[in-house]
Amino acid sequence: MALIKAVGLGKTYGSTRAVNDLSFEVHPGSVTGFLGPNGSGKSTTMRLMLGLDRGDGATTYDGRTFAELDHPMRHVGALLEAKPFHPTRHARNHLRMLAAANRIADSRVDQVMEMVGLATVAKGKPKKFSLGMGQRLGIAAALLGDPDTLILDEPSNGLDPQGIQWLRSLLKHLAGEGRSVFVSSHLLQEMAVLADELVVIGRGKMLANGAVSDFISHSGLGTVEVRTPDGATLAPAIEALGATIVRDGDSLVVSGATAEQIGEAAHSVGARLHQLATRDATLEEAFLEATGLSEEFRGSTGDLA
Amino acid sequence: MIDALRYEYVRLRTLRSTYWLIGIAMTFQLIMSIVLAAVIAQSDSFGRGNDAFDIIATIGASSGFAPLFIAYIIGLLGVFSTGHEYRHGMIRATLTAIPSRTHVFAAKVISTVVISAVAALLCIVIALLSIVAFGLDFPSTRALVNMTAGTLIFTALFSLSGLAYSALTRNQTAAVALLMLVPSIVEQIIRAIVIVIKSASDEPSSDGGIMNILKYLPYDAGGKLYTRASLDDLLSFLGFVPFGAVGGGIVMGVFVGALLAGSYALFIRRDA
């Protein structure tokens, strides 16, 4: 079981600091999601972790850098981009080639082809593969050495809903076996149910690092819905807590105060409560809040007419 | 290092271009060997021993009137060995399988040399079989060894230059263009310019001078490994004295070595 420890990762392209002093850990037995807007430096960070890009800092896997690992695919499985294979080399041969460099038996090649659902096209040419099939082949390559660490860059790209569900189950299962899984994705809903911890970056800088639940709760975007016939009495007491209120019919939607605080306030002013319901922020809301000022590429709806 | 060689072995074996490039080279060699052997067999004036072997083995390149065609075909194996890595985004997969860039580069150099030499050797064998089939005289052992060694070394160096071009440019198309154009056009342009300058000088027939530049055109110099007569001989009146096989081979070897050293240095330093 490998602890991934990234310390001071940095990368500069010309005058642009693409990754700036990133340090984090990925723990065995967990799925750590890697989030950030487009161009925030996620892929560059992953390449730095694997020694593919030259930059600052170091990443160790149980104390050893990637370059120091003997037969690295047996320790770290990586998927970095879609379709990284020769278009006419059979899928199985692509894996055999990687296996040969890591002393992995051909029987394992067949095993992972079966695992990712490509056994029937093992002798197919990747140039005829869909993006999803290409991703599956990339995932097969990452799993080839039965590694205790996985680094996957957007593995769900191109997968259909069944494929995404399969991938989620697979990664959960692998983490459940005690492996370290570090995965980037733009599918925030998917990440919300998959990840145990998060590393969130924007413009190459660390924005948040920790448990998913902490990231969401620290966003301050959770609300409490209060239904009361005594809104006029209760509202000032809630505002006295420093919370903000949005009126919605006979309900008050409160931000910045917990249900417990509101209940206490209602009791103190003698207001009747018909409903007191908390609503947590979604990962998407928390992510957008955290990265709002860190978007590298911002679009607009413009004048579509 | 062994792991990197195993990777290269499977890479070459599982790539169709390996087979069709060697197939094209051998088919060309077979057809042209048969044609040349048949013509020579019916000729009363053409030498039938070493001369016939030299001409058939190199498909006329030993005369200096044509390039060594098989080298241009087999040389593409060198281009592809690195070019495919960049063209198809394989380089990152390769380096996550083998993190030692030195091992990856060295394995590519070794595999390119071996497969190029083996392919060239097969072409020599085809030439010998054609000689036997048409009843021509076998070459002397010395001529056989010299021509075989010369052809193998030139072809291997030619392929290595292709490997270096693709590693330097990280662009397979550009590397193919360089491999085809530098020997056949760039060197010819340099030659033409040098000849004009020498011809226009006060002493056009004097020895050496600017004509010495032509001795160091790498592919032309390397061609001395298999040429037994050359168009260069026609330039002797301009005071041009080319290197022999050893000198020419060294010139080409140093050139290819410099290309490889530069491409290795960049390969180590660049982002994958």
Side-chain angles (χ1 to χ4, degrees), chain A residues 6 17 31 42 46 61 74 95 98 151 164 174 185 207 211 213 221 230 238 248 262 289 292 298 301:
Chain A
R17 188 71 172 158
V31 176
K42 299 189 298 296
M46 287 182 154
Y61 304 85
R74 294 182 175 195
L95 297 181
L98 298 172
I151 295 179
I164 291 173
L174 293 172
S185 176
L207 297 178
S213 55
L221 295 175
D230 303 319
I238 294 175
D248 183 13
I262 294 168
E289 172 74 10
R298 189 186 296 265
T301 53

mmCIF file with all atom_site columns, all heavy atoms in Angstrom, chain A residues 6 17 31 42 46 61 74 95 98 151 164 174 185 207 211 213 221 230 238 248 262 289 292 298 301:
data_model
loop_
_atom_site.group_PDB
_atom_site.id
_atom_site.type_symbol
_atom_site.label_atom_id
_atom_site.label_alt_id
_atom_site.label_comp_id
_atom_site.label_asym_id
_atom_site.label_entity_id
_atom_site.label_seq_id
_atom_site.pdbx_PDB_ins_code
_atom_site.Cartn_x
_atom_site.Cartn_y
_atom_site.Cartn_z
_atom_site.occupancy
_atom_site.B_iso_or_equiv
_atom_site.pdbx_formal_charge
_atom_site.auth_seq_id
_atom_site.auth_comp_id
_atom_site.auth_asym_id
_atom_site.auth_atom_id
_atom_site.pdbx_PDB_model_num
ATOM 1   N N   . ALA A 1 6   ? 3.274   14.364 -2.470  1.00 0.00 ? 6   ALA A N   1
ATOM 2   C CA  . ALA A 1 6   ? 3.775   15.378 -3.400  1.00 0.00 ? 6   ALA A CA  1
ATOM 3   C C   . ALA A 1 6   ? 4.201   16.596 -2.592  1.00 0.00 ? 6   ALA A C   1
ATOM 4   O O   . ALA A 1 6   ? 3.455   17.074 -1.747  1.00 0.00 ? 6   ALA A O   1
ATOM 5   C CB  . ALA A 1 6   ? 2.685   15.763 -4.391  1.00 0.00 ? 6   ALA A CB  1
ATOM 6   N N   . ARG A 1 17  ? 3.469   30.682 -14.639 1.00 0.00 ? 17  ARG A N   1
ATOM 7   C CA  . ARG A 1 17  ? 3.643   29.687 -13.576 1.00 0.00 ? 17  ARG A CA  1
ATOM 8   C C   . ARG A 1 17  ? 2.423   28.774 -13.610 1.00 0.00 ? 17  ARG A C   1
ATOM 9   O O   . ARG A 1 17  ? 1.348   29.134 -13.090 1.00 0.00 ? 17  ARG A O   1
ATOM 10  C CB  . ARG A 1 17  ? 3.774   30.400 -12.234 1.00 0.00 ? 17  ARG A CB  1
ATOM 11  C CG  . ARG A 1 17  ? 4.159   29.498 -11.081 1.00 0.00 ? 17  ARG A CG  1
ATOM 12  C CD  . ARG A 1 17  ? 5.590   29.020 -11.168 1.00 0.00 ? 17  ARG A CD  1
ATOM 13  N NE  . ARG A 1 17  ? 6.004   28.311 -9.967  1.00 0.00 ? 17  ARG A NE  1
ATOM 14  C CZ  . ARG A 1 17  ? 7.010   27.444 -9.929  1.00 0.00 ? 17  ARG A CZ  1
ATOM 15  N NH1 . ARG A 1 17  ? 7.720   27.190 -11.019 1.00 0.00 ? 17  ARG A NH1 1
ATOM 16  N NH2 . ARG A 1 17  ? 7.329   26.845 -8.809  1.00 0.00 ? 17  ARG A NH2 1
ATOM 17  N N   . VAL A 1 31  ? -10.044 7.185  -2.317  1.00 0.00 ? 31  VAL A N   1
ATOM 18  C CA  . VAL A 1 31  ? -10.064 7.802  -3.635  1.00 0.00 ? 31  VAL A CA  1
ATOM 19  C C   . VAL A 1 31  ? -9.935  9.299  -3.408  1.00 0.00 ? 31  VAL A C   1
ATOM 20  O O   . VAL A 1 31  ? -10.759 9.900  -2.704  1.00 0.00 ? 31  VAL A O   1
ATOM 21  C CB  . VAL A 1 31  ? -11.376 7.504  -4.386  1.00 0.00 ? 31  VAL A CB  1
ATOM 22  C CG1 . VAL A 1 31  ? -11.404 8.251  -5.722  1.00 0.00 ? 31  VAL A CG1 1
ATOM 23  C CG2 . VAL A 1 31  ? -11.543 6.006  -4.618  1.00 0.00 ? 31  VAL A CG2 1
ATOM 24  N N   . LYS A 1 42  ? -3.974  20.618 -13.729 1.00 0.00 ? 42  LYS A N   1
ATOM 25  C CA  . LYS A 1 42  ? -4.168  19.250 -13.216 1.00 0.00 ? 42  LYS A CA  1
ATOM 26  C C   . LYS A 1 42  ? -3.293  18.244 -13.984 1.00 0.00 ? 42  LYS A C   1
ATOM 27  O O   . LYS A 1 42  ? -2.569  17.456 -13.377 1.00 0.00 ? 42  LYS A O   1
ATOM 28  C CB  . LYS A 1 42  ? -5.642  18.828 -13.333 1.00 0.00 ? 42  LYS A CB  1
ATOM 29  C CG  . LYS A 1 42  ? -6.604  19.681 -12.544 1.00 0.00 ? 42  LYS A CG  1
ATOM 30  C CD  . LYS A 1 42  ? -7.993  19.074 -12.535 1.00 0.00 ? 42  LYS A CD  1
ATOM 31  C CE  . LYS A 1 42  ? -8.608  18.959 -13.927 1.00 0.00 ? 42  LYS A CE  1
ATOM 32  N NZ  . LYS A 1 42  ? -8.836  20.248 -14.584 1.00 0.00 ? 42  LYS A NZ  1
ATOM 33  N N   . MET A 1 46  ? -0.056  15.987 -12.747 1.00 0.00 ? 46  MET A N   1
ATOM 34  C CA  . MET A 1 46  ? 0.040   14.524 -12.822 1.00 0.00 ? 46  MET A CA  1
ATOM 35  C C   . MET A 1 46  ? 1.301   14.098 -13.573 1.00 0.00 ? 46  MET A C   1
ATOM 36  O O   . MET A 1 46  ? 1.957   13.128 -13.204 1.00 0.00 ? 46  MET A O   1
ATOM 37  C CB  . MET A 1 46  ? -1.207  13.955 -13.489 1.00 0.00 ? 46  MET A CB  1
ATOM 38  C CG  . MET A 1 46  ? -2.431  14.014 -12.573 1.00 0.00 ? 46  MET A CG  1
ATOM 39  S SD  . MET A 1 46  ? -3.882  13.278 -13.336 1.00 0.00 ? 46  MET A SD  1
ATOM 40  C CE  . MET A 1 46  ? -4.814  12.796 -11.888 1.00 0.00 ? 46  MET A CE  1
ATOM 41  N N   . TYR A 1 61  ? 6.415   7.680  -3.729  1.00 0.00 ? 61  TYR A N   1
ATOM 42  C CA  . TYR A 1 61  ? 5.452   6.593  -3.550  1.00 0.00 ? 61  TYR A CA  1
ATOM 43  C C   . TYR A 1 61  ? 6.059   5.668  -2.501  1.00 0.00 ? 61  TYR A C   1
ATOM 44  O O   . TYR A 1 61  ? 7.030   4.960  -2.795  1.00 0.00 ? 61  TYR A O   1
ATOM 45  C CB  . TYR A 1 61  ? 5.218   5.857  -4.883  1.00 0.00 ? 61  TYR A CB  1
ATOM 46  C CG  . TYR A 1 61  ? 4.777   6.806  -5.972  1.00 0.00 ? 61  TYR A CG  1
ATOM 47  C CD1 . TYR A 1 61  ? 5.726   7.514  -6.730  1.00 0.00 ? 61  TYR A CD1 1
ATOM 48  C CD2 . TYR A 1 61  ? 3.425   7.045  -6.230  1.00 0.00 ? 61  TYR A CD2 1
ATOM 49  C CE1 . TYR A 1 61  ? 5.335   8.417  -7.706  1.00 0.00 ? 61  TYR A CE1 1
ATOM 50  C CE2 . TYR A 1 61  ? 3.033   7.944  -7.200  1.00 0.00 ? 61  TYR A CE2 1
ATOM 51  C CZ  . TYR A 1 61  ? 3.990   8.626  -7.929  1.00 0.00 ? 61  TYR A CZ  1
ATOM 52  O OH  . TYR A 1 61  ? 3.603   9.536  -8.897  1.00 0.00 ? 61  TYR A OH  1
ATOM 53  N N   . ARG A 1 74  ? 4.130   -2.057 -11.867 1.00 0.00 ? 74  ARG A N   1
ATOM 54  C CA  . ARG A 1 74  ? 3.680   -2.942 -10.792 1.00 0.00 ? 74  ARG A CA  1
ATOM 55  C C   . ARG A 1 74  ? 3.366   -2.161 -9.522  1.00 0.00 ? 74  ARG A C   1
ATOM 56  O O   . ARG A 1 74  ? 2.814   -2.696 -8.566  1.00 0.00 ? 74  ARG A O   1
ATOM 57  C CB  . ARG A 1 74  ? 4.756   -3.980 -10.488 1.00 0.00 ? 74  ARG A CB  1
ATOM 58  C CG  . ARG A 1 74  ? 4.997   -4.950 -11.619 1.00 0.00 ? 74  ARG A CG  1
ATOM 59  C CD  . ARG A 1 74  ? 6.026   -5.951 -11.203 1.00 0.00 ? 74  ARG A CD  1
ATOM 60  N NE  . ARG A 1 74  ? 6.207   -6.973 -12.204 1.00 0.00 ? 74  ARG A NE  1
ATOM 61  C CZ  . ARG A 1 74  ? 6.841   -8.116 -11.973 1.00 0.00 ? 74  ARG A CZ  1
ATOM 62  N NH1 . ARG A 1 74  ? 7.347   -8.353 -10.787 1.00 0.00 ? 74  ARG A NH1 1
ATOM 63  N NH2 . ARG A 1 74  ? 6.981   -8.998 -12.938 1.00 0.00 ? 74  ARG A NH2 1
ATOM 64  N N   . LEU A 1 95  ? -0.844  -3.824 -24.959 1.00 0.00 ? 95  LEU A N   1
ATOM 65  C CA  . LEU A 1 95  ? -0.645  -4.175 -23.548 1.00 0.00 ? 95  LEU A CA  1
ATOM 66  C C   . LEU A 1 95  ? 0.527   -5.141 -23.373 1.00 0.00 ? 95  LEU A C   1
ATOM 67  O O   . LEU A 1 95  ? 1.273   -5.052 -22.388 1.00 0.00 ? 95  LEU A O   1
ATOM 68  C CB  . LEU A 1 95  ? -1.929  -4.776 -22.970 1.00 0.00 ? 95  LEU A CB  1
ATOM 69  C CG  . LEU A 1 95  ? -3.149  -3.848 -22.942 1.00 0.00 ? 95  LEU A CG  1
ATOM 70  C CD1 . LEU A 1 95  ? -4.347  -4.557 -22.312 1.00 0.00 ? 95  LEU A CD1 1
ATOM 71  C CD2 . LEU A 1 95  ? -2.849  -2.566 -22.183 1.00 0.00 ? 95  LEU A CD2 1
ATOM 72  N N   . LEU A 1 98  ? 3.724   -3.135 -23.198 1.00 0.00 ? 98  LEU A N   1
ATOM 73  C CA  . LEU A 1 98  ? 3.933   -2.517 -21.887 1.00 0.00 ? 98  LEU A CA  1
ATOM 74  C C   . LEU A 1 98  ? 4.284   -3.579 -20.846 1.00 0.00 ? 98  LEU A C   1
ATOM 75  O O   . LEU A 1 98  ? 5.141   -3.363 -19.983 1.00 0.00 ? 98  LEU A O   1
ATOM 76  C CB  . LEU A 1 98  ? 2.672   -1.758 -21.456 1.00 0.00 ? 98  LEU A CB  1
ATOM 77  C CG  . LEU A 1 98  ? 2.248   -0.581 -22.352 1.00 0.00 ? 98  LEU A CG  1
ATOM 78  C CD1 . LEU A 1 98  ? 0.884   -0.063 -21.921 1.00 0.00 ? 98  LEU A CD1 1
ATOM 79  C CD2 . LEU A 1 98  ? 3.267   0.537  -22.314 1.00 0.00 ? 98  LEU A CD2 1
ATOM 80  N N   . ILE A 1 151 ? -3.021  6.607  -10.830 1.00 0.00 ? 151 ILE A N   1
ATOM 81  C CA  . ILE A 1 151 ? -3.098  8.035  -11.141 1.00 0.00 ? 151 ILE A CA  1
ATOM 82  C C   . ILE A 1 151 ? -3.828  8.144  -12.473 1.00 0.00 ? 151 ILE A C   1
ATOM 83  O O   . ILE A 1 151 ? -3.309  7.719  -13.513 1.00 0.00 ? 151 ILE A O   1
ATOM 84  C CB  . ILE A 1 151 ? -1.695  8.662  -11.224 1.00 0.00 ? 151 ILE A CB  1
ATOM 85  C CG1 . ILE A 1 151 ? -1.035  8.608  -9.839  1.00 0.00 ? 151 ILE A CG1 1
ATOM 86  C CG2 . ILE A 1 151 ? -1.768  10.096 -11.723 1.00 0.00 ? 151 ILE A CG2 1
ATOM 87  C CD1 . ILE A 1 151 ? 0.363   9.165  -9.796  1.00 0.00 ? 151 ILE A CD1 1
ATOM 88  N N   . ILE A 1 164 ? -19.361 4.690  -16.860 1.00 0.00 ? 164 ILE A N   1
ATOM 89  C CA  . ILE A 1 164 ? -19.029 5.547  -15.702 1.00 0.00 ? 164 ILE A CA  1
ATOM 90  C C   . ILE A 1 164 ? -19.372 4.828  -14.402 1.00 0.00 ? 164 ILE A C   1
ATOM 91  O O   . ILE A 1 164 ? -18.611 4.852  -13.440 1.00 0.00 ? 164 ILE A O   1
ATOM 92  C CB  . ILE A 1 164 ? -19.778 6.891  -15.812 1.00 0.00 ? 164 ILE A CB  1
ATOM 93  C CG1 . ILE A 1 164 ? -19.205 7.699  -16.988 1.00 0.00 ? 164 ILE A CG1 1
ATOM 94  C CG2 . ILE A 1 164 ? -19.663 7.682  -14.511 1.00 0.00 ? 164 ILE A CG2 1
ATOM 95  C CD1 . ILE A 1 164 ? -19.970 8.955  -17.309 1.00 0.00 ? 164 ILE A CD1 1
ATOM 96  N N   . LEU A 1 174 ? -11.118 -0.907 -5.777  1.00 0.00 ? 174 LEU A N   1
ATOM 97  C CA  . LEU A 1 174 ? -9.656  -0.893 -5.667  1.00 0.00 ? 174 LEU A CA  1
ATOM 98  C C   . LEU A 1 174 ? -9.208  -0.129 -4.419  1.00 0.00 ? 174 LEU A C   1
ATOM 99  O O   . LEU A 1 174 ? -8.288  -0.553 -3.724  1.00 0.00 ? 174 LEU A O   1
ATOM 100 C CB  . LEU A 1 174 ? -9.045  -0.263 -6.922  1.00 0.00 ? 174 LEU A CB  1
ATOM 101 C CG  . LEU A 1 174 ? -9.232  -1.072 -8.219  1.00 0.00 ? 174 LEU A CG  1
ATOM 102 C CD1 . LEU A 1 174 ? -8.775  -0.264 -9.430  1.00 0.00 ? 174 LEU A CD1 1
ATOM 103 C CD2 . LEU A 1 174 ? -8.465  -2.393 -8.149  1.00 0.00 ? 174 LEU A CD2 1
ATOM 104 N N   . SER A 1 185 ? -11.270 14.628 -12.611 1.00 0.00 ? 185 SER A N   1
ATOM 105 C CA  . SER A 1 185 ? -12.502 14.503 -13.391 1.00 0.00 ? 185 SER A CA  1
ATOM 106 C C   . SER A 1 185 ? -13.217 15.845 -13.425 1.00 0.00 ? 185 SER A C   1
ATOM 107 O O   . SER A 1 185 ? -13.096 16.658 -12.514 1.00 0.00 ? 185 SER A O   1
ATOM 108 C CB  . SER A 1 185 ? -13.427 13.450 -12.779 1.00 0.00 ? 185 SER A CB  1
ATOM 109 O OG  . SER A 1 185 ? -14.644 13.407 -13.499 1.00 0.00 ? 185 SER A OG  1
ATOM 110 N N   . LEU A 1 207 ? -6.216  25.293 -3.700  1.00 0.00 ? 207 LEU A N   1
ATOM 111 C CA  . LEU A 1 207 ? -7.365  26.007 -3.152  1.00 0.00 ? 207 LEU A CA  1
ATOM 112 C C   . LEU A 1 207 ? -7.948  25.275 -1.951  1.00 0.00 ? 207 LEU A C   1
ATOM 113 O O   . LEU A 1 207 ? -8.436  25.902 -1.019  1.00 0.00 ? 207 LEU A O   1
ATOM 114 C CB  . LEU A 1 207 ? -8.452  26.172 -4.224  1.00 0.00 ? 207 LEU A CB  1
ATOM 115 C CG  . LEU A 1 207 ? -8.072  27.014 -5.459  1.00 0.00 ? 207 LEU A CG  1
ATOM 116 C CD1 . LEU A 1 207 ? -9.230  27.040 -6.451  1.00 0.00 ? 207 LEU A CD1 1
ATOM 117 C CD2 . LEU A 1 207 ? -7.698  28.427 -5.051  1.00 0.00 ? 207 LEU A CD2 1
ATOM 118 N N   . ALA A 1 211 ? -11.065 16.297 3.268   1.00 0.00 ? 211 ALA A N   1
ATOM 119 C CA  . ALA A 1 211 ? -12.235 15.440 3.051   1.00 0.00 ? 211 ALA A CA  1
ATOM 120 C C   . ALA A 1 211 ? -13.288 16.191 2.231   1.00 0.00 ? 211 ALA A C   1
ATOM 121 O O   . ALA A 1 211 ? -13.425 17.414 2.335   1.00 0.00 ? 211 ALA A O   1
ATOM 122 C CB  . ALA A 1 211 ? -12.826 15.021 4.384   1.00 0.00 ? 211 ALA A CB  1
ATOM 123 N N   . SER A 1 213 ? -16.477 16.142 2.530   1.00 0.00 ? 213 SER A N   1
ATOM 124 C CA  . SER A 1 213 ? -17.501 16.751 3.386   1.00 0.00 ? 213 SER A CA  1
ATOM 125 C C   . SER A 1 213 ? -17.009 18.068 3.973   1.00 0.00 ? 213 SER A C   1
ATOM 126 O O   . SER A 1 213 ? -17.766 19.042 4.087   1.00 0.00 ? 213 SER A O   1
ATOM 127 C CB  . SER A 1 213 ? -17.894 15.782 4.505   1.00 0.00 ? 213 SER A CB  1
ATOM 128 O OG  . SER A 1 213 ? -16.732 15.381 5.212   1.00 0.00 ? 213 SER A OG  1
ATOM 129 N N   . LEU A 1 221 ? -22.029 27.387 1.777   1.00 0.00 ? 221 LEU A N   1
ATOM 130 C CA  . LEU A 1 221 ? -23.159 27.506 0.864   1.00 0.00 ? 221 LEU A CA  1
ATOM 131 C C   . LEU A 1 221 ? -24.373 26.692 1.305   1.00 0.00 ? 221 LEU A C   1
ATOM 132 O O   . LEU A 1 221 ? -25.407 26.717 0.655   1.00 0.00 ? 221 LEU A O   1
ATOM 133 C CB  . LEU A 1 221 ? -22.751 27.078 -0.549  1.00 0.00 ? 221 LEU A CB  1
ATOM 134 C CG  . LEU A 1 221 ? -21.703 27.971 -1.217  1.00 0.00 ? 221 LEU A CG  1
ATOM 135 C CD1 . LEU A 1 221 ? -21.290 27.383 -2.550  1.00 0.00 ? 221 LEU A CD1 1
ATOM 136 C CD2 . LEU A 1 221 ? -22.256 29.377 -1.404  1.00 0.00 ? 221 LEU A CD2 1
ATOM 137 N N   . ASP A 1 230 ? -44.570 32.820 12.024  1.00 0.00 ? 230 ASP A N   1
ATOM 138 C CA  . ASP A 1 230 ? -44.105 33.997 12.761  1.00 0.00 ? 230 ASP A CA  1
ATOM 139 C C   . ASP A 1 230 ? -42.813 34.545 12.151  1.00 0.00 ? 230 ASP A C   1
ATOM 140 O O   . ASP A 1 230 ? -41.845 34.859 12.859  1.00 0.00 ? 230 ASP A O   1
ATOM 141 C CB  . ASP A 1 230 ? -43.861 33.622 14.235  1.00 0.00 ? 230 ASP A CB  1
ATOM 142 C CG  . ASP A 1 230 ? -45.121 33.051 14.878  1.00 0.00 ? 230 ASP A CG  1
ATOM 143 O OD1 . ASP A 1 230 ? -46.207 33.601 14.600  1.00 0.00 ? 230 ASP A OD1 1
ATOM 144 O OD2 . ASP A 1 230 ? -45.002 32.061 15.620  1.00 0.00 ? 230 ASP A OD2 1
ATOM 145 N N   . ILE A 1 238 ? -32.840 35.790 13.699  1.00 0.00 ? 238 ILE A N   1
ATOM 146 C CA  . ILE A 1 238 ? -31.876 35.036 12.870  1.00 0.00 ? 238 ILE A CA  1
ATOM 147 C C   . ILE A 1 238 ? -30.806 35.982 12.331  1.00 0.00 ? 238 ILE A C   1
ATOM 148 O O   . ILE A 1 238 ? -29.614 35.670 12.338  1.00 0.00 ? 238 ILE A O   1
ATOM 149 C CB  . ILE A 1 238 ? -32.612 34.321 11.721  1.00 0.00 ? 238 ILE A CB  1
ATOM 150 C CG1 . ILE A 1 238 ? -33.535 33.227 12.277  1.00 0.00 ? 238 ILE A CG1 1
ATOM 151 C CG2 . ILE A 1 238 ? -31.604 33.712 10.743  1.00 0.00 ? 238 ILE A CG2 1
ATOM 152 C CD1 . ILE A 1 238 ? -34.392 32.548 11.219  1.00 0.00 ? 238 ILE A CD1 1
ATOM 153 N N   . ASP A 1 248 ? -39.054 33.158 0.827   1.00 0.00 ? 248 ASP A N   1
ATOM 154 C CA  . ASP A 1 248 ? -39.616 32.353 -0.261  1.00 0.00 ? 248 ASP A CA  1
ATOM 155 C C   . ASP A 1 248 ? -41.035 31.941 0.181   1.00 0.00 ? 248 ASP A C   1
ATOM 156 O O   . ASP A 1 248 ? -41.224 30.869 0.763   1.00 0.00 ? 248 ASP A O   1
ATOM 157 C CB  . ASP A 1 248 ? -38.729 31.129 -0.520  1.00 0.00 ? 248 ASP A CB  1
ATOM 158 C CG  . ASP A 1 248 ? -39.227 30.300 -1.689  1.00 0.00 ? 248 ASP A CG  1
ATOM 159 O OD1 . ASP A 1 248 ? -40.102 30.794 -2.440  1.00 0.00 ? 248 ASP A OD1 1
ATOM 160 O OD2 . ASP A 1 248 ? -38.750 29.154 -1.855  1.00 0.00 ? 248 ASP A OD2 1
ATOM 161 N N   . ILE A 1 262 ? -30.878 28.285 14.724  1.00 0.00 ? 262 ILE A N   1
ATOM 162 C CA  . ILE A 1 262 ? -32.181 28.857 14.360  1.00 0.00 ? 262 ILE A CA  1
ATOM 163 C C   . ILE A 1 262 ? -33.255 28.364 15.324  1.00 0.00 ? 262 ILE A C   1
ATOM 164 O O   . ILE A 1 262 ? -34.136 29.109 15.766  1.00 0.00 ? 262 ILE A O   1
ATOM 165 C CB  . ILE A 1 262 ? -32.528 28.495 12.899  1.00 0.00 ? 262 ILE A CB  1
ATOM 166 C CG1 . ILE A 1 262 ? -31.539 29.179 11.951  1.00 0.00 ? 262 ILE A CG1 1
ATOM 167 C CG2 . ILE A 1 262 ? -33.971 28.908 12.552  1.00 0.00 ? 262 ILE A CG2 1
ATOM 168 C CD1 . ILE A 1 262 ? -31.590 28.671 10.533  1.00 0.00 ? 262 ILE A CD1 1
ATOM 169 N N   . GLU A 1 289 ? -17.787 27.910 -6.154  1.00 0.00 ? 289 GLU A N   1
ATOM 170 C CA  . GLU A 1 289 ? -17.479 28.968 -5.200  1.00 0.00 ? 289 GLU A CA  1
ATOM 171 C C   . GLU A 1 289 ? -15.966 29.063 -4.979  1.00 0.00 ? 289 GLU A C   1
ATOM 172 O O   . GLU A 1 289 ? -15.390 30.154 -4.981  1.00 0.00 ? 289 GLU A O   1
ATOM 173 C CB  . GLU A 1 289 ? -18.180 28.662 -3.862  1.00 0.00 ? 289 GLU A CB  1
ATOM 174 C CG  . GLU A 1 289 ? -17.810 29.567 -2.704  1.00 0.00 ? 289 GLU A CG  1
ATOM 175 C CD  . GLU A 1 289 ? -18.437 30.955 -2.808  1.00 0.00 ? 289 GLU A CD  1
ATOM 176 O OE1 . GLU A 1 289 ? -19.301 31.126 -3.691  1.00 0.00 ? 289 GLU A OE1 1
ATOM 177 O OE2 . GLU A 1 289 ? -18.041 31.844 -2.028  1.00 0.00 ? 289 GLU A OE2 1
ATOM 178 N N   . GLY A 1 292 ? -14.170 30.175 -8.410  1.00 0.00 ? 292 GLY A N   1
ATOM 179 C CA  . GLY A 1 292 ? -14.804 31.234 -9.194  1.00 0.00 ? 292 GLY A CA  1
ATOM 180 C C   . GLY A 1 292 ? -13.848 32.238 -9.777  1.00 0.00 ? 292 GLY A C   1
ATOM 181 O O   . GLY A 1 292 ? -14.033 32.719 -10.890 1.00 0.00 ? 292 GLY A O   1
ATOM 182 N N   . ARG A 1 298 ? -12.807 31.717 -19.485 1.00 0.00 ? 298 ARG A N   1
ATOM 183 C CA  . ARG A 1 298 ? -14.177 32.026 -19.092 1.00 0.00 ? 298 ARG A CA  1
ATOM 184 C C   . ARG A 1 298 ? -14.994 32.309 -20.349 1.00 0.00 ? 298 ARG A C   1
ATOM 185 O O   . ARG A 1 298 ? -14.647 33.179 -21.142 1.00 0.00 ? 298 ARG A O   1
ATOM 186 C CB  . ARG A 1 298 ? -14.191 33.241 -18.169 1.00 0.00 ? 298 ARG A CB  1
ATOM 187 C CG  . ARG A 1 298 ? -15.539 33.533 -17.533 1.00 0.00 ? 298 ARG A CG  1
ATOM 188 C CD  . ARG A 1 298 ? -15.449 34.840 -16.764 1.00 0.00 ? 298 ARG A CD  1
ATOM 189 N NE  . ARG A 1 298 ? -14.522 34.747 -15.651 1.00 0.00 ? 298 ARG A NE  1
ATOM 190 C CZ  . ARG A 1 298 ? -14.899 34.470 -14.403 1.00 0.00 ? 298 ARG A CZ  1
ATOM 191 N NH1 . ARG A 1 298 ? -16.153 34.256 -14.133 1.00 0.00 ? 298 ARG A NH1 1
ATOM 192 N NH2 . ARG A 1 298 ? -14.007 34.416 -13.448 1.00 0.00 ? 298 ARG A NH2 1
ATOM 193 N N   . THR A 1 301 ? -22.387 33.536 -22.698 1.00 0.00 ? 301 THR A N   1
ATOM 194 C CA  . THR A 1 301 ? -23.458 33.126 -23.606 1.00 0.00 ? 301 THR A CA  1
ATOM 195 C C   . THR A 1 301 ? -23.535 34.085 -24.777 1.00 0.00 ? 301 THR A C   1
ATOM 196 O O   . THR A 1 301 ? -24.034 33.740 -25.837 1.00 0.00 ? 301 THR A O   1
ATOM 197 C CB  . THR A 1 301 ? -24.809 33.117 -22.876 1.00 0.00 ? 301 THR A CB  1
ATOM 198 O OG1 . THR A 1 301 ? -24.989 34.381 -22.255 1.00 0.00 ? 301 THR A OG1 1
ATOM 199 C CG2 . THR A 1 301 ? -24.842 32.019 -21.835 1.00 0.00 ? 301 THR A CG2 1
#
